[in-house]
Amino acid sequence: MSDNFDTQAYNTADHAKTHRRLQPGPERNTPEIERDFETVMRDGYVIIENLIPRETCKAIKEEGLALLGQTGRNPFEGHNTQRVYNVLGKTRVTDQLAVHPHILGLMDRLFEPGFLLSQSQIINILPGEAPQGLHYDDVFYRLPRPRQPLGAATVWAIDDFTEENGSTVVIPGSHEWGADRRPTQAEAIPAVMPAGSVVFFLGTTWHGGGKNRSDQARFAITHQYCEAYVRQQENYLLELSKDTVRGLSPELQALVGYSIYPPFMGMVEGMHPLRTLERD
C-alpha cells in the first residue's frame, strides 16, 4: 500500500456513488433538540411531552391492539404483559415514531452517522402486572462500566403513563454508574407523561416497566437504536421481506440495515445493500 494512502479518510468517507448516505434535514437540528440532548447527557433520560397528537395515538392503538396475543413467557417479558415482536413486518403504523425527527435529532448528537434501529416492540401492560426487574438495555455489549452508551431507547406513551398503570421507571444519573453499583426500586422515578409523549434514555441508564395497580392496560411502543458498528437485537434482514423493505421510507430502510457504515460494513457482494432491492 502506498505511503500516501490516507487510511483515516478512507475509513470515514462515503464511497457509494448511487446510494449516498442520507443527510439530516433542519428539522433534526433545533434548539429544543439541543436542550433535550443536554438533559439526556446529564440525567440519562429525558421526557418529551406531546410529541405526537392524541389522534395519532388512537390510530396506533387501534391497529396495534389487533396484533396483540399471548402474554410474556417469563418475569422479564411479564406474565401479565402482551408484546408484539417484528413490528415492522406487521404494520406501518409505528414507522412515524421510529423516524420522528426529534428522536433522530437526538440520535445525531449521540451516535455516529449511520446508526441503526436495534429493535421495535408493542408493549401492553395488563392490570396486575408486577414491576419489571431493573436493567439497562445495552448490557449485552460486554464492555466494562462506566462507559459510553452503545444503544438508546424510546418508550412512547400511547396511553397516558401514570404511577398507577405501569409507567416506565428510570433512575436518574445511573448511566454514569460503574459495574459495582446496583439500583433499588426506591431510586426509580416514574416517567409520568400524557399520551403522545415519549421518554428517551441511554442504553446505560437503569430502568424498568412499572407495576400496574390500575384496572386498565397501559399501551406503549418502543423503538431502540444502536451504533452502526454493533449488532442489532432484532435481525431485520431476515425478518423483513424485500417487498416490505421496498415500502419503507429511505430513512427507515437505512435504519434497519440497508445502509453502509464506512468504509464497507453492511455491503452485499461488495455493493450497497439497496442494490439487492433493484436486482429483484
Side-chain angles (χ1 to χ4, degrees):
M1 182 177 294
S2 169
D3 291 339
N4 295 324
F5 184 78
D6 190 336
T7 303
Q8 179 63 24
Y10 177 78
N11 287 341
T12 57
D14 183 359
H15 299 288
K17 293 181 173 59
T18 301
H19 301 290
R20 306 290 294 180
R21 181 191 299 160
L22 299 174
Q23 298 300 312
E27 69 280 3
R28 286 164 58 170
N29 187 23
T30 67
E32 292 77 15
I33 293 173
E34 187 62 36
R35 176 201 64 205
D36 289 338
F37 180 70
E38 291 175 359
T39 301
V40 168
M41 300 311 292
R42 182 191 69 212
D43 298 337
Y45 76 99
V46 64
I47 295 173
I48 310 165
E49 294 193 351
N50 302 313
L51 206 52
I52 58 173
R54 285 184 175 267
E55 292 76 15
T56 300
C57 293
K58 182 179 179 181
I60 291 172
K61 186 173 182 180
E62 182 177 348
E63 188 160 334
L65 285 174
L67 299 174
L68 294 174
Q70 65 186 30
T71 53
R73 300 161 289 186
N74 52 61
F76 185 82
E77 286 189 333
H79 291 304
N80 289 312
T81 296
Q82 298 168 299
R83 293 175 183 264
V84 177
Y85 295 98
N86 188 20
V87 174
L88 299 187
K90 298 172 181 175
T91 177
R92 301 273 61 80
V93 75
T94 74
D95 292 5
Q96 60 190 306
L97 307 184
V99 298
H100 195 286
H102 200 105
I103 300 303
L104 296 187
L106 291 173
M107 294 301 307
D108 291 335
R109 288 159 172 77
L110 182 62
F111 290 166
E112 294 185 31
F115 57 84
L116 299 169
L117 197 64
S118 185
Q119 75 152 322
S120 305
Q121 288 184 38
I122 296 172
I123 303 175
N124 194 45
I125 297 182
L126 302 175
E129 181 61 278
Q132 187 184 38
L134 296 171
H135 60 284
Y136 61 97
D137 282 341
D138 67 6
V139 62
F140 36 77
Y141 301 132
R142 302 181 187 278
L143 299 174
R145 294 178 61 113
R147 60 167 170 80
Q148 69 182 66
L150 297 175
T154 58
V155 178
W156 291 83
I158 305 305
D159 290 325
D160 292 337
F161 273 31
T162 71
E163 293 190 44
E164 291 73 33
N165 73 358
S167 167
T168 298
V169 300
V170 292
I171 300 182
S174 59
H175 61 302
E176 297 181 343
W177 292 0
D180 58 339
R181 185 167 178 184
R182 291 291 185 273
T184 65
Q185 289 288 347
E187 297 174 282
I189 304 297
V192 174
M193 52 185 173
S197 306
V198 63
V199 56
F200 178 98
F201 50 87
L202 303 177
T204 49
T205 300
W206 287 86
H207 66 282
K211 179 178 182 178
N212 191 344
R213 300 187 296 270
S214 75
D215 60 357
Q216 299 291 323
R218 189 227 71 180
F219 193 97
I221 306 293
T222 181
H223 290 296
Q224 300 184 15
Y225 305 82
C226 64
E227 289 274 23
Y229 52 81
V230 300
R231 186 170 184 175
Q232 296 156 280
Q233 298 174 65
E234 196 166 350
N235 195 328
Y236 294 107
L237 299 181
L238 291 180
E239 278 186 343
L240 303 179
S241 70
K242 290 182 179 179
D243 280 342
T244 296
V245 175
R246 289 186 186 98
L248 303 181
S249 69
E251 291 83 4
L252 200 47
Q253 288 176 340
L255 282 169
V256 299
Y258 282 76
S259 54
I260 291 291
Y261 176 72
F264 44 68
M265 289 178 69
M267 57 86 170
V268 178
E269 295 187 17
M271 295 182 292
H272 197 288
L274 282 174
R275 291 188 176 274
T276 66
L277 304 182
E278 299 167 356
R279 284 205 302 265
D280 289 350

